[in-house]
């Protein structure tokens, strides 16, 4: 099965077979060959001057061998460390150097094979190298497949603040192959599942009704809920590609979540992005209830669901340095004129962005 979306000029395809991406069938071109023709239509036999693939240690070990089976082209292999701690300017500097030394020019193409961190950083480096070269995402984690690879947000962490430096630039193609999810540990599946839940809570009450009875994300049915989840993001990004308004709905759970993620980064209590967003969603749902947007029953349903699926996250709050947490919260790029801005929900399936939330309210619901 193949399902395709067009999201602000970027083609997003969910495919059952990785061969759809790179291996011609004999009757039709692969998606990669079709992309070459779109990027360089004036050429008789369009090809990039250099094809490069970026991996981290994990995707280089588990996913690159699978891609090699269908990608019958020479390519330059670029590598970066795995994990959020590598999403910084030093990694960018090394990657830009590697791209230059490998001979990549403006006629080159970068394929990013990885999760959210390689996607954010690799896309950022491609979009800024020589003022921009085309890039393709092959997301390998649930977090990247349902959220991070879609919509053109790229960036790195700086000065301890999550995603402080970045830009908007759309990938030429996103190919989502659910088969990569079999390489993930269960914790990583739950990491991405948080974004599926977020999409349901902000804009799709029907999706919430269908997933809340699932004990855990089921890879066998991944295409079904991936389509519903991506459709939420498609509608929002199409309406507001540069996050001037409606796209801020996608920040539900992220104002408080990003501060917690940055707070514990590099410590023995480090949180994955989705785990931090779960804590953020519980806190921002509680604020939504206080502000009269979310009913007590809806709040109880959300809290019960998230606590049962993410039982090991709430204990982090007792270990938090509250002073540093609020420093990070005040530095969040979603704030305005020194006031903390959150996306709230209520009723389920409806979001409210740019809501000013006093610090004392945040303190009460988080700590």
């Amino acid at each position: 099965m193949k399902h395709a979306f067009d999201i602000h000029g970027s083609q997003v395809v969910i495919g059952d077979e990785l061969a759809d991406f790179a291996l011609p069938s004999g009757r039709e071109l692969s998606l990669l060959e079709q992309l070459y023709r779109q990027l360089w239509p004036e050429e008789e036999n369009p090809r990039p001057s250099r094809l490069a693939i970026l991996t981290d240690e994990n995707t280089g070990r588990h996913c690159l061998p699978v891609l090699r089976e269908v990608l019958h082209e020479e390519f330059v292999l670029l590598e970066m460390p795995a994990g959020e701690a590598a999403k910084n300017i030093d990694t960018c500097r090394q990657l830009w150097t590697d791209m230059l030394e490998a001979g990549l020019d403006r006629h080159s193409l970068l394929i990013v094979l990885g999760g959210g961190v390689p996607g954010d950083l690799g896309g950022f480096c491609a979009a800024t190298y020589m003022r921009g070269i085309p890039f393709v995402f092959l997301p390998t984690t649930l977090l990247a497949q349902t959220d991070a690879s879609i919509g053109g947000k790229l960036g790195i962490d700086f000065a301890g603040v999550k995603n402080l430096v970045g830009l908007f630039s759309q990938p030429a193609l996103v190919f989502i192959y659910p088969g990569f999810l079999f390489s993930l540990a269960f914790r990583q599946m739950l990491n991405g599942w948080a974004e599926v839940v977020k999409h349901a809570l902000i804009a799709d009450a029907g999706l919430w009704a269908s997933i809340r009875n699932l004990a855990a994300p089921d890879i066998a049915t991944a295409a079904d809920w991936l389509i519903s989840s991506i459709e939420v993001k498609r509608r929002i990004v199409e309406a507001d590609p540069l996050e001037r308004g409606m796209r801020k709905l996608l920040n539900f759970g992220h104002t408080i979540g990003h501060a917690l993620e940055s707070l514990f980064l590099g410590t023995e209590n480090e949180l994955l992005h989705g785990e931090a967003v779960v804590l953020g969603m519980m806190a921002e749902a509680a604020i939504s209830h206080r502000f009269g947007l979310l009913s007590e029953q809806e709040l109880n349903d959300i809290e019960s669901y998230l606590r049962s699926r993410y039982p090991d996250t709430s204990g982090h709050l007792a270990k938090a340095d509250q002073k540093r947490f609020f420093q990070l919260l005040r530095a969040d790029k979603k704030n305005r004129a020194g006031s903390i801005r959150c996306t709230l929900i209520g009723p389920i399936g409806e979001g409210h962005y740019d809501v000013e939330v006093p610090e004392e309210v945040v303190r009460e619901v988080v700590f």
Side-chain angles (χ1 to χ4, degrees):
M1 184 207 72
K2 210 189 295 186
H3 194 94
F5 304 81
D6 184 85
I7 303 180
H8 200 59
S10 178
Q11 187 180 22
V12 179
V13 178
I14 302 174
D16 286 338
E17 302 292 338
L18 193 57
D20 292 334
F21 171 71
L23 198 64
S25 67
R27 298 190 310 275
E28 59 183 35
L29 300 173
S30 69
L31 287 169
L32 195 57
E33 289 174 321
Q34 293 175 41
L35 178 63
Y36 293 166
R37 294 193 173 195
Q38 294 167 16
L39 292 173
W40 302 291
E42 72 284 355
E43 297 186 8
E44 183 177 342
N45 184 31
R47 286 287 186 276
S49 57
R50 288 281 191 281
L51 178 64
I53 297 177
L54 173 65
T55 69
D56 63 19
E57 301 106 306
N58 296 326
T59 56
R61 184 181 313 116
H62 298 294
C63 302
L64 183 60
V66 182
L67 179 58
R68 284 185 189 272
E69 293 178 7
V70 300
L71 184 62
H72 297 166
E73 296 189 45
E74 292 187 2
F75 60 85
V76 175
L77 180 61
L78 305 171
E79 298 175 285
M80 62 172 285
E84 185 74 24
K87 206 172 89 173
N88 57 51
I89 194 66
D90 292 329
T91 306
C92 289
R93 185 180 293 113
Q94 184 61 57
L95 182 54
W96 284 319
T97 301
D98 293 344
M99 293 165 75
L100 182 63
E101 292 179 349
L104 271 67
D105 57 26
R106 295 187 76 180
H107 202 81
S108 299
L109 178 69
L110 178 67
I111 297 175
V112 181
L113 180 67
V117 171
D120 281 358
L121 183 140
F124 175 73
C125 286
T128 51
Y129 180 75
M130 295 189 175
R131 294 184 178 167
I133 65 171
F135 58 98
V136 168
F137 284 151
L138 278 179
T140 59
T141 66
L142 180 54
L143 180 71
Q145 291 187 359
T146 193
D147 186 66
S149 68
I150 298 164
K153 269 189 177 182
L154 311 168
I156 58 172
D157 305 337
F158 188 76
V161 180
K162 177 95 170 167
N163 297 330
L164 186 66
V165 178
L167 47 74
F168 290 92
S169 184
Q170 295 291 343
L173 171 68
V174 180
F175 186 81
I176 295 170
Y177 172 53
F180 281 138
L181 301 180
F182 286 103
S183 69
L184 297 181
F186 185 63
R187 186 184 179 197
Q188 283 291 345
M189 282 294 291
L190 286 177
N191 183 36
W193 188 247
E195 296 288 355
V196 178
V197 174
K198 178 198 77 177
H199 288 160
L201 292 175
I202 63 170
D204 193 337
L207 177 59
W208 167 250
S210 68
I211 66 173
R212 61 180 296 196
N213 295 320
L214 291 176
D218 179 10
I219 299 175
T221 62
D224 295 333
W225 41 260
L226 271 174
I227 290 169
S228 297
S229 182
I230 292 170
E231 175 59 24
V232 169
K233 188 158 190 181
R234 184 202 66 77
R235 293 197 310 266
I236 292 172
V237 172
E238 279 292 310
D240 179 23
L242 298 180
E243 201 174 289
R244 307 296 189 201
M246 182 181 178
R247 186 167 177 168
K248 295 178 184 180
L249 292 174
L250 295 166
N251 293 325
F252 176 58
H254 284 62
T255 299
I256 291 172
H258 275 173
L260 290 169
E261 184 180 1
S262 298
L263 180 66
F264 290 108
L265 184 63
T267 72
E268 62 180 10
N269 299 309
E270 186 166 332
L271 288 163
L272 297 178
H273 174 73
E275 294 168 341
V277 168
V278 163
L279 291 173
M281 287 193 293
M282 286 196 288
E284 292 173 22
I287 295 170
S288 301
H289 175 60
R290 286 193 176 210
F291 282 21
L293 300 170
L294 196 66
S295 73
E296 185 173 0
Q297 183 60 57
E298 288 175 311
L299 175 62
N300 290 340
D301 289 345
I302 292 168
E303 290 181 337
S304 175
Y305 178 88
L306 292 176
R307 284 183 175 135
S308 67
R309 272 70 174 180
Y310 300 85
D312 300 325
T313 54
S314 295
H316 284 72
L317 300 178
K319 306 167 188 172
D321 179 338
Q322 294 190 31
K323 181 178 179 181
R324 177 59 179 157
F325 167 79
F326 279 102
Q327 289 173 342
L328 291 165
L329 189 67
R330 295 180 197 114
D332 191 278
K333 62 185 179 297
K334 297 180 284 296
N335 296 336
R336 184 188 302 171
S339 67
I340 296 168
R341 301 296 176 110
C342 293
T343 291
L344 304 182
I345 58 170
I348 287 175
E350 183 176 332
H352 311 268
Y353 57 84
D354 259 350
V355 181
E356 185 173 353
V357 179
E359 280 192 19
E360 58 267 26
V361 174
V362 175
R363 190 182 304 275
E364 289 169 4
V365 301
V366 174
F367 302 108

